[in-house]
Amino acid sequence: MAYLSIKPNLARRRQLPQIRAANALIRVCAQERGVDFLDVHAPMLGADGEADPRWFDVDGLHLNAEGYALWTGVVRDWLARRGLL
């Protein structure tokens, strides 16, 4: 079992500190329970530490095709490491 992290987004920039804190707590909780934590948050950040617009649709909240491709890669790598692909 795996938990996909909360993603950053452009529409709710002010919530980024809370998203980071929640992801940190969830990561610890997942590890304590033997659940893998798949981090999509970090790869979606730009050099400035903010959500990178290239992953999002025009609303700044929902992912575009590139954003979903990023997530697919994270999940695919996790499945491959477990011999499930």
Side-chain angles (χ1 to χ4, degrees):
M1 183 179 291
Y3 179 89
L4 201 62
S5 69
I6 302 168
K7 68 175 175 57
N9 64 75
L10 302 169
R12 299 180 182 145
R13 292 175 199 253
R14 288 183 283 162
Q15 293 178 351
L16 192 55
Q18 291 90 344
I19 291 171
R20 286 186 172 126
N23 278 333
L25 290 171
I26 294 165
R27 181 188 298 267
V28 169
C29 185
Q31 289 172 343
E32 290 172 350
R33 289 163 176 75
V35 174
D36 290 327
F37 181 86
L38 305 184
D39 186 7
V40 296
H41 181 93
M44 295 184 74
L45 300 176
D48 61 359
E50 298 287 328
D52 189 329
R54 71 178 162 156
W55 307 119
F56 297 92
D57 202 353
V58 295
D59 66 2
L61 179 61
H62 297 94
L63 300 177
N64 61 21
E66 288 182 69
Y68 281 114
L70 174 84
W71 280 25
T72 300
V74 170
V75 173
R76 183 181 295 121
D77 291 347
W78 177 77
L79 290 170
R81 287 191 306 272
R82 276 141 195 81
L84 299 172
L85 281 183

